[in-house]
Amino acid sequence: MKIEEARKYHKIDAVIVGAGLAGLRAALEVAKSGLTAAVITKVYPTRSHSGGAQGGIAAALANVSEDSLESHMADTVKGSDYLADQDIIERFVNEALKTVYEFEHMGVPFSRTEDGRINQRPFGGHSAPRACFAQDITGHVLLHTLYEQCLQHNVLFFNEFQVLSLLLKDDVARGLVAWDIRAGGLHIFHAKAVLLATGGYGRAWKVTSNAHANTGDGVALVLEAGLPLEDMEFVQFHPTGLYKHGILLSEAARGEGAYIVNDRNERFMKTYAAAKMELAPRDVVSRAEQTEINEGRGIGGQDYVYLDLRHLGRDKILSRLPQIYDLALNYLKVDAIREPVPIQPTAHYSMGGIPANVRTEVIKDAAGSVVKGLYTAGEASCLSLHGANRLGTNSLQDAATFGRIAGVHMTEFCKKNAFSDLPGKPLETAQGKIDRLWGGGKERHAPIRLTLQENMTKTMGVFRNQDDMLKMLGVIKELQERYQKVGVDDKGQAFNLDLIEALELENLLGFSEVIVEGALARKESRGAHFRSDFPKRNDGDWLRHTLAWRRSGKIVLDFSKAVVIYPQYQPQERKY
Amino acid sequence: MAMIDIHVKILRYQPGKDDKPGWQDFAISVEDEATILDVLNEIHWRHDGTLAYRRSCRSSICGSCAMKVNGRNVLACETPIHRFGSKLKIEPLSGFEIIKDLVVDLEPFFAKLKRIKPYLIVDKPLPDKEFVQTQEQLEQIGESTLCILCAACSAACPSSWPNQEYLGPAALLKAYRFVFDSRDDGADQRLEIVNDKNGVWRCHTIFNCMEACPKKIKITEYLSRLKVKVVENSL
Amino acid sequence: MEKNFKQTSRTGSLAWLLQRLSAVVLFVLLLFHFLTYHFLTRTRAVEYRQVLERAQSWWFPLLQFAFLITALYHGLNGIWSVLEDYTTNKHWRLAWYCLLLTVGVVLLFVGTLTIIKLYTLKVG
């Protein structure tokens, strides 16, 4: 049977992988132009982890105090520890206001000022209250609103589909193959343009704020397709993860005035960032926390400190931070109105990812040559907007703004180009992955994943050093070998969670090696990447991006991709 | 923190293999602080890989893991086992077709959502900046925007069980959320849709939805306000 | 999935409103009923003559008739909405509807007869 005749063959202009803020925003843009847009997502769209974002979305609206685009740009440049590409930041801040007003016009229930305008709160590293928010469920309401807009504009949804391979040939994207989680079976999606908006890769860590779904699938697909990844060693650790669970307690708590204290009840941030205190950027606060813990000043000498909201008072906590209150109560039985909340740094945001240019086109080398028809946006991408460290509330703005930009360029591309032919044997790679797991050996995925996550948390956390990382590399190699013998218990077609988790594990193992290799090579400390053996930033050697390929089983690194720097934003010492 | 032994009964169903759902017992050890989701993970990862359930965020915001535990609809991720003791009975949400084990078919649920036009309908010209909306106007809809579409409400609603055509509490709450949004001009269209025996009138104020809602949204109250609005509009 | 839904029938709002209005009316009538039967009697015991006198005053049959109509409507409409919830087969629905209608008509007939009979009965 010819592929075109197969029942599970779909021919769609633009196929978007991932239904978070970036994916949905892109799909909406394409669908509004009259082209067909399909979103392929492994969870129902409203389950995407954009909904986990709490604190706000950054835009210099100046609704509650003076603010400017220049200030937003300068803050983002400095926050990134000068590794971000400034042409990207420029486009970002220029479109940020439009993005927020657009959201408001779609009906997002933003919290309001006294005079009925969008309210804004302070956030770490931002020099003005710039975070537009809806209580502490900003991501949730943005995600739901966008999903509803997509329903209105008849975006096609393929809910609960796991993408298994990209169909690329001669540097042109031609579609992808996905597994229907609900019913079983492989589907071919033949497309003119493909967007990878699959989110971050925090699930490689044990202590993480990320959802079970955040296994960096898009990142892994790109690596598998022989394309490079960028700056993968840069992963942000959020300072206020709920102790032991790693669940996010929004920075909005500190934006509203919460303190972080150690065992001596000291607001220790005064030693590390006297001017900004708790509202220093996340890398700075997380390092301070970990230092306190390492030096024995964690609560009772243990591995956590306190987030103290008590002085904010009951009303403010319940009206502005209700979700945080509920989380602490449900998971730790801590009543944040009366008690301080135990917290620890938690793997949170992936600054690295799939390299792309300002048009969100995926690039394949340091010179910036593009893969035709392949796009990326949101946390999966590395444009690089966030450089070595992202500022809070810039992520929702990033996903929405570059999601829209991706949609615009994909529409343009689809209108100008015809469908390219599918490569021969399109199902081969995907079918191979499944057959191997169904016919596999006695190893199981769960213990391998747990070993990986525990070791990543131990060695690839806030502080890193060469010895630990070399050991980690050994662990990964060993786990990759064990993975070859993994089989799954469940041989059924319908909702085979066993199969999905095993497939995700292959992705985790694939890119974790890149993270470690990149971090080993980068002999400096910059933003979220801190090496105890190289504690200083080194602009002379390392003010450049990391590109990493997998070639014949080995990770190959290239550091020739320069950082775009404007004359007025030259690197300086980074103090808060 | 200590380990405790618990006894878990799970309603299993594997399509193609089982004629109808049946109970399976597991005796396992978990930390006393474990959640229902931890229990399911423990079983799935160490005891029986074939168990299927939905989960994602683990922080009560994505709405994936609504299920019935000891007769109550809960989010597995946020529910500690100590709420129920050492004997757990876990089954899928009622009123939906089972795909496999704890996974139910939510397509009809989401289709109903789409039917009530869940998006702001604006006839007036858009302002350059934001619409002005007072804090009081926002307050009207604030709580309803918390809904995470977990379907716990619809699964608890006796009016929904026998009647697949009833829009159900979640879709109706969404209708409320837009009808009462000060920026919206589409109230007439939506009220027309919900003014049906299978719309808002099949709600008999049973309050089960409110009790089941993990976000503690006062659904019944909002549905009552919606009914009044429909009557006002149609008289 | 869409085909599962019929277009709006615009049904239900009137039934809902009438159910509530009839509840309010019933409440008032019930209050009046208790008042007249249990508190406004001139003697301690209920007397035949007294009851009959009241039954033959101009206002009593009107009130009783209103009571009959609202109670029948409220009760049967309530049962109908329960049956409608749990019966999806349209033939069964029709059957239930006919049955309820018949019950309603019969009870209305019997009730009306009783009121008339009381009104026209000669006081002995």
Side-chain angles (χ1 to χ4, degrees):
Chain A
M1 185 176 15
K2 274 201 215 135
I3 299 157
E4 274 79 359
E5 290 164 0
R7 198 163 59 86
K8 292 171 178 178
Y9 166 86
H10 312 269
K11 198 169 181 179
I12 291 159
D13 294 323
V15 167
I16 288 134
V17 188
L21 231 49
L24 292 180
R25 190 60 193 82
L28 182 61
E29 201 63 30
V30 175
K32 275 181 168 175
S33 76
L35 297 171
T36 47
V39 173
I40 298 176
T41 165
K42 63 180 182 178
V43 293
Y44 272 90
T46 55
R47 321 289 193 221
S48 305
H49 206 49
S50 298
Q54 298 169 1
I57 176 167
L61 305 185
N63 274 4
V64 300
S65 79
E66 297 244 322
D67 202 358
S68 68
L69 300 185
E70 292 71 29
S71 164
H72 191 183
M73 174 144 186
D75 289 344
T76 306
V77 169
K78 186 179 172 190
S80 82
D81 220 347
Y82 300 92
L83 189 68
D85 289 315
Q86 298 179 8
D87 55 334
I88 304 284
I89 303 182
E90 190 180 29
R91 176 115 193 231
F92 169 76
V93 297
N94 282 335
E95 305 237 359
L97 271 59
K98 179 181 167 191
T99 302
V100 168
Y101 289 136
E102 216 175 50
F103 268 131
E104 203 277 337
H105 295 160
M106 292 175 190
V108 168
F110 283 110
S111 293
R112 299 288 166 158
T113 58
E114 293 287 332
D115 58 352
R117 293 181 303 152
I118 296 171
N119 206 346
Q120 298 187 278
R121 61 162 58 116
F123 242 77
H126 290 283
S127 49
R130 193 174 287 145
C132 312
F133 64 97
Q135 290 188 324
D136 57 356
I137 53 164
T138 315
H140 162 81
V141 293
L142 294 178
L143 180 69
H144 280 243
T145 303
L146 260 188
Y147 173 59
E148 292 156 3
Q149 290 285 315
C150 286
L151 289 181
Q152 180 184 12
H153 291 93
N154 296 313
V155 170
L156 300 172
F157 281 99
F158 292 86
N159 298 324
E160 305 195 312
F161 275 71
Q162 176 82 18
V163 177
L164 296 189
S165 73
L166 289 179
L167 300 175
L168 286 176
K169 208 176 96 187
D170 308 327
D171 293 327
V172 179
R174 292 143 197 270
L176 48 86
V177 178
W179 171 261
D180 178 357
I181 298 175
R182 183 192 153 109
L186 291 170
H187 289 228
I188 294 172
F189 292 86
H190 189 180
K192 288 181 183 173
V194 173
L195 174 73
L196 297 173
T198 51
Y201 46 84
R203 269 281 143 183
W205 280 261
K206 180 167 183 253
V207 178
T208 175
S209 65
N210 283 204
H212 278 285
N214 299 139
T215 49
D217 300 342
V219 169
L221 285 170
V222 162
L223 188 66
E224 183 190 271
L227 297 168
L229 297 178
E230 183 173 339
D231 291 344
M232 289 290 285
E233 61 272 30
F234 292 102
V235 172
Q236 179 173 77
F237 294 85
H238 197 291
T240 56
L242 203 60
Y243 180 50
K244 282 195 292 196
H245 298 267
I247 290 169
L248 175 66
L249 296 181
S250 173
E251 190 171 326
R254 284 170 286 143
E256 298 290 347
Y259 302 146
I260 299 179
V261 297
N262 60 17
D263 196 43
R264 299 174 191 163
N265 205 26
E266 290 169 337
R267 290 177 66 190
F268 55 82
M269 282 312 297
K270 64 178 187 283
T271 341
Y272 304 89
K276 293 268 183 173
M277 294 295 286
E278 281 88 353
L279 283 178
R282 291 171 181 170
D283 58 330
V284 177
V285 182
S286 280
R287 255 193 311 278
E289 251 174 42
Q290 197 61 50
T291 306
E292 292 294 306
I293 290 168
N294 291 352
E295 293 176 2
R297 292 188 295 278
I299 307 302
Q302 286 187 277
D303 54 342
Y304 64 93
V305 291
Y306 277 145
L307 178 70
D308 196 343
L309 289 87
R310 290 174 293 182
H311 58 283
L312 300 181
R314 182 189 174 82
D315 289 350
K316 196 165 193 178
I317 293 174
L318 293 184
S319 66
R320 292 285 182 87
L321 308 163
Q323 185 176 196
I324 291 179
Y325 178 79
D326 284 345
L327 288 171
L329 195 63
N330 279 339
Y331 290 87
L332 292 183
K333 287 189 252 175
V334 169
D335 177 354
I337 294 171
R338 294 184 296 115
E339 303 157 275
V341 186
I343 51 161
Q344 71 184 136
T346 180
H348 181 60
Y349 187 87
S350 316
M351 271 78 72
I354 306 163
N357 60 25
V358 72
R359 296 160 55 88
T360 70
E361 296 162 319
V362 171
I363 58 172
K364 57 177 182 170
D365 54 34
S369 336
V370 305
V371 182
K372 269 183 79 182
L374 189 59
Y375 298 79
T376 184
E379 195 174 341
S381 71
C382 180
L383 295 170
S384 146
L385 169 62
H386 309 297
N389 175 62
R390 173 176 71 78
L391 293 186
T393 69
N394 268 356
S395 55
L396 287 178
Q397 185 59 263
D398 169 18
T401 292
F402 283 101
R404 183 181 65 232
I405 291 171
V408 169
H409 293 305
M410 287 170 83
T411 304
E412 236 170 62
F413 182 86
C414 288
K415 286 189 171 158
K416 273 196 217 136
N417 292 278
F419 281 90
S420 308
D421 293 337
L422 289 177
K425 297 186 184 169
L427 291 173
E428 200 177 25
T429 308
Q431 191 66 56
K433 287 182 181 180
I434 288 175
D435 289 347
R436 204 184 64 205
L437 289 169
W438 268 340
K442 291 222 157 23
E443 284 281 0
R444 286 297 172 263
H445 58 80
I448 297 180
R449 183 174 44 251
L450 202 62
T451 311
L452 174 75
Q453 290 168 332
E454 274 171 359
N455 282 285
M456 287 292 276
T457 289
K458 221 181 285 171
T459 63
M460 299 302 296
V462 175
F463 293 109
R464 304 163 170 182
N465 66 66
Q466 178 159 313
D467 291 351
D468 281 355
M469 290 194 284
L470 283 173
K471 266 184 232 154
M472 187 66 222
L473 212 51
V475 170
I476 292 176
K477 293 279 182 206
E478 188 206 315
L479 294 177
Q480 283 173 342
E481 266 170 44
R482 275 173 67 187
Y483 184 82
Q484 297 307 312
K485 295 182 222 113
V486 163
V488 294
D489 295 339
D490 195 343
K491 307 284 201 290
Q493 294 276 325
F495 219 96
N496 191 330
L497 182 63
D498 214 17
L499 181 69
I500 298 304
E501 287 192 344
L503 289 164
E504 288 171 341
L505 175 61
E506 184 176 11
N507 295 343
L508 294 177
L509 287 169
F511 64 72
S512 290
E513 189 182 351
V514 180
I515 297 172
V516 182
E517 289 278 14
L520 260 172
R522 187 173 282 275
K523 294 189 165 63
E524 66 155 352
S525 291
R526 181 185 298 273
H529 171 67
F530 194 95
R531 288 196 50 168
S532 314
D533 42 357
F534 298 95
K536 287 260 177 323
R537 195 175 82 194
N538 177 352
D539 289 337
D541 295 328
W542 292 106
L543 190 52
R544 48 190 68 244
H545 296 294
T546 312
L547 288 182
W549 289 258
R550 183 186 296 283
R551 288 191 179 135
S552 28
K554 276 208 153 69
I555 303 300
V556 179
L557 301 174
D558 175 18
F559 298 97
S560 58
K561 186 167 183 273
V563 178
V564 179
I565 292 171
Y566 289 175
Q568 66 271 38
Y569 298 112
Q570 292 294 319
Q572 289 165 7
E573 197 194 348
R574 185 163 165 260
K575 276 190 138 167
Y576 287 97
Chain B
M1 190 173 76
M3 298 298 280
I4 54 165
D5 295 329
I6 59 169
H7 184 256
V8 190
K9 275 173 106 66
I10 299 180
L11 195 66
R12 301 291 307 267
Y13 172 72
Q14 308 223 32
K17 227 170 128 189
D18 305 329
D19 293 337
K20 56 178 188 177
W23 294 100
Q24 188 180 352
D25 296 272
F26 297 92
I28 60 166
S29 284
V30 289
E31 285 177 14
D32 55 1
E33 291 175 348
T35 62
I36 302 293
L37 180 57
D38 293 332
V39 168
L40 293 174
N41 285 338
E42 172 71 18
I43 292 172
H44 175 60
W45 290 341
R46 286 188 222 269
H47 298 265
D48 186 346
T50 65
L51 180 66
Y53 49 99
R54 288 195 178 102
R55 80 286 178 274
S56 192
C57 77
R58 333 158 278 148
S59 52
S60 14
I61 195 71
C62 81
S64 299
C65 63
M67 55 187 71
K68 204 152 132 186
V69 179
N70 292 17
R72 301 203 157 261
N73 291 352
V74 299
L75 293 180
C77 72
E78 68 167 11
T79 308
I81 53 170
H82 60 70
R83 195 186 292 179
F84 298 105
S86 61
K87 280 196 162 64
L88 299 173
K89 214 173 124 185
I90 306 176
E91 53 193 308
L93 291 177
S94 310
F96 294 100
E97 242 174 76
I98 300 176
I99 294 175
K100 181 181 172 188
D101 297 339
L102 302 172
V103 180
V104 295
D105 183 8
L106 289 176
E107 286 300 319
F109 178 80
F110 280 95
K112 286 170 186 174
L113 182 78
K114 186 174 179 180
R115 239 184 79 74
I116 60 97
K117 304 196 176 183
Y119 35 81
L120 205 67
I121 296 172
V122 181
D123 296 337
K124 47 194 172 281
L126 293 174
D128 290 338
K129 294 186 170 181
E130 67 267 58
F131 286 108
V132 170
Q133 181 173 49
T134 65
Q135 291 175 351
E136 291 72 34
Q137 287 169 331
L138 174 65
E139 185 72 14
Q140 288 250 317
I141 59 162
E143 196 182 80
S144 63
T145 64
L146 260 174
C147 172
I148 56 175
L149 298 175
C150 68
C153 55
S154 292
C157 171
S159 299
S160 293
W161 293 333
N163 195 323
Q164 294 303 311
E165 287 195 17
Y166 173 38
L167 280 171
L172 291 171
L173 180 70
K174 190 65 87 177
Y176 168 88
R177 177 250 174 277
F178 283 101
V179 167
F180 285 80
D181 190 320
S182 61
R183 300 164 290 182
D184 184 74
D185 300 319
D188 289 349
Q189 300 175 42
R190 271 184 224 101
L191 292 173
E192 171 98 19
I193 294 165
V194 301
N195 182 10
D196 185 284
K197 286 218 162 155
N198 286 321
V200 76
W201 305 119
R202 202 162 289 291
C203 165
H204 306 311
T205 42
I206 301 167
F207 288 88
N208 270 21
C209 53
M210 248 169 91
E211 202 185 322
C213 178
K215 292 293 166 191
K216 304 183 191 83
I217 302 169
K218 296 186 283 296
I219 306 170
T220 315
E221 184 183 324
Y222 297 124
L223 262 52
S224 298
R225 287 196 213 168
L226 194 61
K227 289 174 191 168
V228 171
K229 191 89 176 171
V230 172
V231 172
E232 281 174 3
N233 226 52
S234 62
L235 288 184
Chain C
M1 217 54 69
E2 285 277 303
K3 68 183 183 317
N4 284 342
F5 300 99
K6 292 193 289 281
Q7 277 302 303
T8 176
S9 60
R10 281 196 180 187
T11 51
S13 61
L14 193 65
W16 180 82
L17 188 65
L18 286 178
Q19 190 73 348
R20 267 134 198 88
L21 285 177
S22 60
V24 173
V25 173
L26 270 179
F27 182 72
V28 175
L29 287 172
L30 263 175
L31 273 184
F32 199 78
H33 172 89
F34 282 118
L35 224 62
T36 51
Y37 274 72
H38 302 287
F39 298 104
L40 295 182
T41 46
R42 288 183 301 252
T43 53
R44 190 167 282 265
V46 179
E47 276 177 21
Y48 175 73
R49 177 174 296 275
Q50 192 185 329
V51 170
L52 219 56
E53 262 175 26
R54 189 169 56 220
Q56 294 183 358
S57 63
W58 65 270
W59 53 269
F60 191 80
L62 287 179
L63 265 180
Q64 289 299 85
F65 193 67
F67 206 164
L68 179 68
I69 295 280
T70 29
L72 273 179
Y73 176 81
H74 189 83
L76 292 172
N77 193 37
I79 295 173
W80 170 232
S81 77
V82 173
L83 287 172
E84 227 189 354
D85 274 358
Y86 293 93
T87 320
T88 42
N89 180 305
K90 67 178 183 204
H91 301 295
W92 269 111
R93 272 194 185 185
L94 189 67
W96 281 121
Y97 192 80
C98 291
L99 182 70
L100 286 182
L101 208 63
T102 315
V103 169
V105 169
V106 170
L107 288 179
L108 184 67
F109 182 71
V110 173
T112 313
L113 268 187
T114 315
I115 296 170
I116 292 171
K117 188 155 189 200
L118 274 175
Y119 188 67
T120 52
L121 205 67
K122 291 266 178 293
V123 182

